[in-house]
Amino acid sequence: MPTCRRKRVVLTEPSQALLQVAETNPDKDVYYLHQTGEIFETYEAYAARMSFYRLKQFQCEVTGKSGLDYFQALDSEQQEAQTMHSRFPEPLKAAVLKAVQWQVVGRLDHLVEAVFDRFKDRYFPDEKVYVDVQGDKFYARILHVHQPKYGPNNMDAEKQASTSTSPPVSTPEGSMQMHKVGGDLKFPAKEALTLDDPLKYVYKVQILEEQHDRSHEKGKLSLKEKVKWSGNLMDVQCAVMSRDRLAFSKSILRRFIRDCVDRDAAVASPWTVKEVVAKHYGVDSVMPEETRKGVENIKRGEIDKRKKAWEDKEGPPTKKQKKMTAAQEERVKALAAAAEKREREAREKAEKQKAKEEAERLAAEKKKKKPIRYPTEDLDIQASEKDKKTGVRAKKPVPSRTLLPFADDPATFESFLMAWNFLVVYGQPLHLSAFTMDEFEHALRHSAAESPCVMLAEIHSTLIYNLRTVPFSRHSAVLSLLRLKDVLEEGHKVYGVTIEQLTTVMADVGNNWDRVPLRHADLRNGWEDTILGCLKDHATTDNFPRLREILTRLLFAPESNLESSASSSSSRVSSATPQVLSIPSLPSERYHSLPPADRVAILAFMCNLAVTSKAIHAHMDSCEEQLTALRKEKIEINRMKKQYTEEMNALSGEVEAKQNQTVNGAEDSTVPDLSDLSDSPSEDGSESASATSGSAKKAHTQAHSKQREMARAKVAAEKQAQAEYRRLDEEVNKIERRLEAIEREFRKLLGAIRVKPLGKDRFHNRIWWFDGLGSASLLGSGGVVQYGAGRIFVQGPTQMDVDLMSKRDDDIDTRRQEEEEEGMLAPNEWAVYTEPEEMDEFVAWLNTKGIRELALKNAITKWWNHIFPGMRKRLSDVNVNARLPEARRSTRVKQTSGHDISREPYMMWTNRRAVNSS
């Protein structure tokens, strides 16, 4: 039967309802699966079963082939079964099946081993075997089996060869009784060998043909040998007999038994021959009474054994005891207490001994501990005195929590950070110029109604244009508020306004928000009303929990124009008593009075919706394509850089070799001069001396001219090599500048797909740097440094990281308090580094022997030339703006005399990417 996930596939039986209907209505139409014979009442059930059978997840149980469908596995099993049955000796089948019938054996392998050991030396009439005659094996057929009435010493296998041509007549009754004891697995192996020794059987065989010929003589001799033994009859014993391994072996015996027998899933169930097979081979399929009792005894013993093991594990069952007297109870309690005390003392002693041995083992292991290979797990590293002397800080610089934007409300800060990052990263598809985080914060705090903030108008307008392409449901906000009304008590008010009043005023505002033009030339006039229309169709109380409060603030004003007195405090501190709003108004008149937290909530909601727009998705796909192109370009540029570097190394080697040759040549050139100067007139006379000196001077002049020419050629070659070296050096510098530009482009494009932290420190705090992502750039025109956040943010570890650290053996909390002190962050808590000096100290605190901090330090070092100048420039801008009166940041206070708020950086921002038509 084919298997699926190591389980046999059980065929589907017709339901009882279908069988009953078939009895009453034999003509009912059903669906029949002819390959398996299954019947289905509906086509859906038939199709589902057929689809299951067609899956390539079945396995042939015989060959083990997998990846087949059910019908392929079934065909494979049938073909293998036919091959196996044709090879397995037919006279042996009935004897093997009778031997395994009703046997209680746990594993099939053990049953196969037992059967193989019993029948490997026992043979049956009409079985074809190999007979060893004088060292040669001949193929023979067993004609008759003589029972052990002959003594074992009366027969000799090789001396009892007979030349008779007529086989004796064998009686069937005798053949049925042969190997009765030896083939019965109820008898132990030793007892069966004693009572029915296979060595005492004598077999009369007839040689059919020669299988192997060890004769190395000529063909005539081989032919004579064949004629001599072919057709002869002889009496042999099992010692010189053997079966073909393709017909009888443990593997084929296992396949035969597995194909013919089966077993129930109950404990100690016997192996039973399948009914059809038992009927064919004359195997009794009715269990004898004696055998049945034996099987039941085995089952009972197995069940008792398992029950006893369970009781030993769980403890003995409590027995109902007779009621004892008070004295007996006291005595039993005392004995139990004493026994418990002795057991506790023994257990404590054993635990102490075990702890001592464990400590000794750990100490021995510590001595034999192998040196740590760095980098390794950061928390396994402790800063040594040597590390401290080399400049490694013992304590981490404390990041600031109070210098975060909207630090008093962590949820608002996270929404603010998400909204700013989204607007900057996707500035290109939104048609929005980049702005700094400080400018964004100041714009959100801007509340001067007489001086509109262009940045707020541009941000909201671009988001509204984008959200017009996102599917929405008309009046979803109104419907959700009405559902909320059914849940709340009657007359429930927020800021003094009921849901009925709110929905009534909402009905006439912002209905055409998806068609109203918000032109850049008109300063986006009417953007406040379109925000309310957008919220009406996109927001619900489920996806925007503060919907009711924000809509109430946008559509209702306080009485008697008391807004100025009610909001005289800073925008960072909310009013202690809720403001009562009762006069219907318009969003264009009320947006300036919204608290910054509500403005952040609106922008965060709109940004979350804009992520699903087609423009953002198309931009992400475009970034993926550009990243692929940049990767290819980077590979090509690195190849060129490697080629140029190799050429430069070759040129530098040539120049050094030529210089060495020049020095050696100059030294050698002095030799003839010295020899010439050392020449003196010989005794032959003055005439010969003068002639010799003249020729020497001429040769000396020619040698010097050749040397000067060679020197000029060498100098020219060196100049040419140096010029080529400078050219290659300039090319390498251009390539390095291009690689830096590619890295910046990589950061911009990767930021549009997914923003990742720079890395993690040893305590799994995440380090974030948001500059240079998406539409923002790290360098302006002329290489001027630009920044977006101009800070390094630190986010606490995730809860999963905290749980992992708590499972360590050492006390992580104590170590964090020692190293981080006040800078120890809770899970997902935020802090910030604003000073470059703090970052210097933080980098000095990192230990590069740890995996995480090594990667973090490498990332910070890679971008340090942009991080450090960006932080410096931001501090410079903040200090310049700090010289102006502090009243510039007040949200609801009238402008101070002498201070022009329009000169603020966030008020001077312009959207250079705005489309003229929108």
Side-chain angles (χ1 to χ4, degrees):
M1 183 65 68
T3 59
C4 180
R5 297 184 181 93
R6 297 187 178 183
K7 293 183 179 180
R8 288 188 175 184
V9 179
V10 180
L11 299 181
T12 304
E13 297 290 339
S15 63
Q16 292 295 331
L18 181 60
L19 294 176
Q20 293 176 0
V21 172
E23 291 178 358
T24 58
N25 184 16
D27 297 332
K28 177 178 175 57
D29 293 334
V30 294
Y31 296 90
Y32 175 66
L33 188 59
H34 68 90
Q35 292 95 331
T36 61
E38 294 173 295
I39 299 175
F40 302 92
E41 187 174 4
T42 62
Y43 178 76
E44 288 76 11
Y46 168 83
R49 193 64 174 177
M50 180 59 77
S51 300
F52 170 70
Y53 284 148
R54 291 298 183 187
L55 293 176
K56 299 289 185 177
Q57 62 182 9
F58 294 91
Q59 185 177 12
C60 175
E61 192 176 18
V62 179
T63 62
K65 293 180 181 178
S66 59
L68 308 175
D69 62 29
Y70 179 82
F71 306 112
Q72 292 173 344
L74 190 62
D75 292 341
S76 176
E77 289 185 359
Q78 290 175 354
Q79 292 176 4
E80 290 297 324
Q82 290 176 2
T83 304
M84 181 268 300
H85 281 287
S86 64
R87 289 180 177 178
F88 197 80
E90 190 69 26
L92 197 60
K93 291 180 180 179
V96 170
L97 294 177
K98 289 177 181 178
V100 301
Q101 181 74 312
W102 317 123
Q103 291 300 314
V104 181
V105 182
R107 291 175 56 87
L108 181 61
D109 295 336
H110 298 162
L111 183 63
V112 171
E113 289 281 350
V115 173
F116 183 81
D117 291 340
R118 293 296 182 94
F119 288 94
K120 65 179 180 179
D121 293 328
R122 290 179 168 87
Y123 301 90
F124 294 86
D126 205 32
E127 197 174 349
K128 294 181 179 180
V129 296
Y130 290 120
V131 178
D132 191 349
V133 180
Q134 298 178 359
D136 291 331
K137 286 190 176 182
F138 292 88
Y139 202 48
R141 182 168 64 90
I142 299 176
L143 301 178
H144 183 72
V145 180
H146 297 282
Q147 300 289 343
K149 58 185 178 179
Y150 303 104
N153 298 325
N154 297 336
M155 299 299 302
D156 189 350
E158 296 184 3
K159 294 181 180 179
Q160 292 297 329
S162 173
T163 56
S164 173
T165 57
S166 58
V169 181
S170 61
T171 59
E173 292 80 2
S175 64
M176 291 299 294
Q177 298 296 327
M178 66 185 62
H179 305 300
K180 184 175 182 181
V181 177
D184 193 348
L185 298 181
K186 296 176 184 177
F187 293 92
K190 292 184 179 180
E191 183 178 354
L193 186 62
T194 303
L195 298 177
D196 189 10
D197 191 354
L199 295 175
K200 295 181 180 181
Y201 281 81
V202 178
Y203 303 92
K204 183 175 288 293
V205 299
Q206 183 179 17
I207 303 298
L208 299 179
E209 63 181 25
E210 184 183 8
Q211 183 68 13
H212 299 286
D213 186 7
R214 69 183 180 96
S215 175
H216 299 286
E217 300 180 5
K218 295 183 179 180
K220 291 184 178 180
L221 184 60
S222 298
L223 182 59
K224 289 181 180 179
E225 292 291 331
K226 291 181 180 181
V227 172
K228 175 181 176 182
W229 294 106
S230 180
N232 283 357
L233 300 178
M234 60 178 61
D235 293 337
V236 295
Q237 288 183 311
C238 65
V240 296
M241 300 172 65
S242 62
R243 294 187 178 94
D244 188 356
R245 290 185 57 84
L246 295 177
F248 186 77
S249 63
K250 288 184 180 179
S251 61
I252 196 169
L253 179 61
R254 173 187 173 87
R255 288 161 58 184
F256 173 73
I257 294 176
R258 184 170 57 184
D259 189 60
C260 295
V261 302
D262 203 350
R263 183 177 62 174
D264 294 336
V267 178
S269 296
W271 292 96
T272 58
V273 181
K274 296 178 181 179
E275 187 175 355
V276 178
V277 179
K279 185 176 180 181
H280 181 268
Y281 290 102
V283 181
D284 190 5
S285 59
V286 178
M287 184 183 298
E289 185 66 20
E290 182 180 357
T291 305
R292 185 184 61 78
K293 291 181 179 180
V295 170
E296 288 180 355
N297 291 334
I298 294 174
K299 280 188 177 182
R300 195 179 301 110
E302 186 67 25
I303 292 173
D304 293 342
K305 182 179 178 181
R306 295 191 179 187
K307 185 177 179 182
K308 184 179 179 181
W310 179 259
E311 289 177 353
D312 292 341
K313 182 180 178 181
E314 297 293 330
T318 57
K319 297 182 179 179
K320 188 175 181 181
Q321 300 178 354
K322 296 181 180 180
K323 189 175 182 181
M324 296 184 295
T325 62
Q328 290 176 339
E329 289 181 356
E330 291 294 334
R331 184 180 178 186
V332 169
K333 289 181 180 178
L335 292 174
E340 184 179 357
K341 183 179 179 181
R342 288 194 300 271
E343 184 180 354
R344 183 172 62 254
E345 291 176 353
R347 186 168 58 251
E348 290 177 355
K349 185 177 180 181
E351 289 178 355
K352 289 181 180 178
Q353 183 66 21
K354 186 177 180 181
K356 183 179 179 181
E357 294 176 356
E358 184 69 17
E360 293 176 354
R361 186 183 64 81
L362 291 176
E365 287 183 357
K366 191 174 182 180
K367 292 181 181 179
K368 299 179 181 179
K369 193 173 183 181
K370 296 181 180 179
I372 301 174
R373 300 184 66 179
Y374 299 108
T376 183
E377 167 57 37
D378 298 72
L379 295 176
D380 293 339
I381 302 172
Q382 296 285 350
S384 61
E385 294 297 330
K386 183 178 179 181
D387 295 333
K388 294 177 182 178
K389 291 179 180 179
T390 57
V392 176
R393 287 178 56 90
K395 294 184 178 180
K396 173 184 175 182
V398 179
S400 175
R401 296 179 176 88
T402 58
L403 295 180
L404 290 172
F406 308 101
D408 53 344
D409 188 356
T412 301
F413 165 71
E414 290 188 354
S415 299
F416 163 82
L417 184 60
M418 184 274 293
W420 174 80
N421 185 69
F422 177 83
L423 295 171
V424 171
V425 168
Y426 297 107
Q428 182 176 347
L430 293 175
H431 304 293
L432 190 67
S433 296
F435 43 82
T436 66
M437 185 180 290
D438 293 326
E439 293 172 349
F440 187 52
E441 180 186 2
H442 295 157
L444 290 174
R445 296 184 183 278
H446 177 83
S447 60
E450 62 275 8
S451 299
C453 181
V454 177
M455 183 183 291
L456 290 178
E458 290 293 330
I459 290 173
H460 288 87
S461 299
T462 55
L463 287 175
I464 286 170
Y465 273 111
N466 186 271
L467 293 181
R468 288 174 178 177
T469 63
V470 177
F472 56 86
S473 300
R474 290 288 185 185
H475 307 294
S476 60
V478 177
L479 296 176
S480 65
L481 289 172
L482 293 177
R483 288 193 296 267
L484 179 63
K485 173 188 171 184
D486 298 336
V487 178
L488 300 175
E489 59 184 6
E490 187 176 356
H492 184 271
K493 294 183 179 181
V494 172
Y495 302 122
V497 179
T498 63
I499 292 181
E500 292 86 349
Q501 295 173 335
L502 179 60
T503 54
T504 302
V505 175
M506 285 173 59
D508 298 329
V509 181
N511 290 328
N512 296 325
W513 71 275
D514 55 334
R515 294 187 296 273
V516 173
L518 302 174
R519 295 184 176 87
H520 174 69
D522 298 337
L523 300 179
R524 310 292 188 179
N525 185 27
W527 63 271
E528 298 93 340
D529 294 341
T530 57
I531 287 178
L532 192 135
C534 177
L535 294 177
K536 280 173 59 177
D537 291 346
H538 278 289
T540 63
T541 54
D542 294 330
N543 60 16
F544 195 18
R546 290 189 53 79
L547 176 64
R548 183 181 178 186
E549 290 80 358
I550 291 175
L551 291 179
T552 303
R553 286 180 180 273
L554 286 174
L555 293 173
F556 288 88
E559 295 179 355
S560 303
N561 198 18
L562 297 176
E563 180 182 359
S564 60
S565 61
S567 60
S568 59
S569 61
S570 175
S571 62
R572 292 177 180 263
V573 182
S574 60
S575 179
T577 57
Q579 191 178 17
V580 177
L581 307 175
S582 58
I583 300 176
S585 183
L586 293 175
S588 57
E589 300 174 357
R590 295 295 303 158
Y591 185 84
H592 68 277
S593 64
L594 272 182
D598 289 344
R599 301 184 184 186
V600 171
I602 293 174
L603 282 175
F605 173 74
M606 297 176 73
C607 290
N608 283 328
L609 288 178
V611 172
T612 62
S613 64
K614 293 181 180 179
I616 300 299
H617 283 187
H619 181 69
M620 289 182 180
D621 296 338
S622 175
C623 290
E624 288 281 4
E625 295 175 359
Q626 294 179 56
L627 281 172
T628 303
L630 283 177
R631 290 188 183 99
K632 295 180 180 179
E633 183 182 358
K634 185 177 180 181
I635 293 172
E636 183 65 22
I637 289 178
N638 281 325
R639 187 186 63 78
M640 293 175 61
K641 180 181 177 182
K642 181 180 179 181
Q643 180 181 351
Y644 289 156
T645 305
E646 291 176 352
E647 292 179 3
M648 290 172 63
N649 294 334
L651 285 174
S652 61
E654 291 178 1
V655 170
E656 291 178 0
K658 289 181 179 179
Q659 289 177 353
N660 294 333
Q661 291 177 2
T662 303
V663 173
N664 295 333
E667 293 177 354
D668 296 339
S669 65
T670 60
V671 175
D673 293 340
L674 292 175
S675 62
D676 292 340
L677 292 174
S678 63
D679 289 341
S680 60
S682 64
E683 296 179 354
D684 293 340
S686 59
E687 294 180 359
S688 61
S690 61
T692 304
S693 62
S695 62
K697 288 181 180 179
K698 185 176 180 181
H700 182 70
T701 304
Q702 292 177 354
H704 271 287
S705 63
K706 289 182 180 180
Q707 288 179 358
R708 285 194 295 272
E709 290 177 1
M710 292 174 62
R712 284 194 294 271
K714 288 180 179 179
V715 169
E718 289 177 2
K719 288 183 178 180
Q720 184 179 0
Q722 290 175 356
E724 181 67 16
Y725 188 89
R726 286 193 295 270
R727 185 188 69 81
L728 292 175
D729 189 36
E730 292 176 359
E731 293 293 335
V732 171
N733 291 334
K734 290 180 182 178
I735 288 176
E736 289 178 350
R737 289 194 294 271
R738 179 54 187 158
L739 288 175
E740 291 177 0
I742 288 177
E743 289 296 332
R744 292 194 296 271
E745 288 296 321
F746 256 103
R747 179 170 175 81
K748 293 174 65 174
L749 296 173
L750 285 174
I753 299 171
R754 183 184 178 187
V755 182
K756 294 183 180 180
L758 288 174
K760 294 182 179 181
D761 64 9
R762 67 193 66 168
F763 300 119
H764 294 275
N765 295 307
R766 288 159 286 178
I767 311 302
W768 295 89
W769 181 52
F770 295 103
D771 293 354
L773 300 177
S775 62
S777 180
L778 293 172
L779 296 177
S781 58
V784 179
V785 176
Q786 291 183 339
Y787 68 92
R791 286 160 278 186
I792 295 294
F793 292 89
V794 184
Q795 187 181 12
T798 63
Q799 189 61 47
M800 182 182 297
D801 293 332
V802 173
D803 295 339
L804 289 175
M805 288 191 292
S806 64
K807 293 180 181 178
R808 293 178 56 86
D809 297 334
D810 47 352
D811 191 356
I812 295 298
D813 293 337
T814 303
R815 182 177 175 185
R816 291 190 67 186
Q817 290 174 359
E818 292 176 356
E819 297 189 23
E820 295 185 300
E821 296 180 340
E822 298 178 359
M824 181 176 173
L825 300 177
N828 297 317
E829 186 182 4
W830 288 84
V832 64
Y833 289 120
T834 58
E835 302 283 345
E837 292 75 14
E838 292 177 336
M839 282 305 299
D840 286 331
E841 295 176 359
F842 177 76
V843 173
W845 175 74
L846 297 177
N847 195 329
T848 55
K849 294 180 180 179
I851 298 174
R852 291 187 294 276
E853 293 193 354
L854 174 62
L856 175 58
K857 189 170 183 178
N858 290 337
I860 294 176
T861 305
K862 176 182 177 181
W863 297 105
W864 184 251
N865 293 333
H866 299 284
I867 295 175
F868 187 85
M871 297 179 76
R872 283 288 186 200
K873 191 171 189 302
R874 176 185 174 273
L875 287 178
S876 176
D877 294 344
V878 170
N879 293 332
V880 169
N881 296 330
R883 297 170 188 169
L884 299 175
E886 184 64 21
R888 76 190 191 283
R889 296 182 183 175
S890 177
T891 56
R892 297 175 185 174
V893 180
K894 190 175 181 181
Q895 296 183 21
T896 308
S897 59
H899 171 61
D900 186 7
I901 197 174
S902 62
R903 303 290 295 175
E904 290 285 342
Y906 75 95
M907 294 293 291
M908 298 173 65
W909 176 88
T910 57
N911 188 10
R912 296 183 178 87
R913 290 181 176 167
V915 181
N916 294 328
S917 60
S918 61

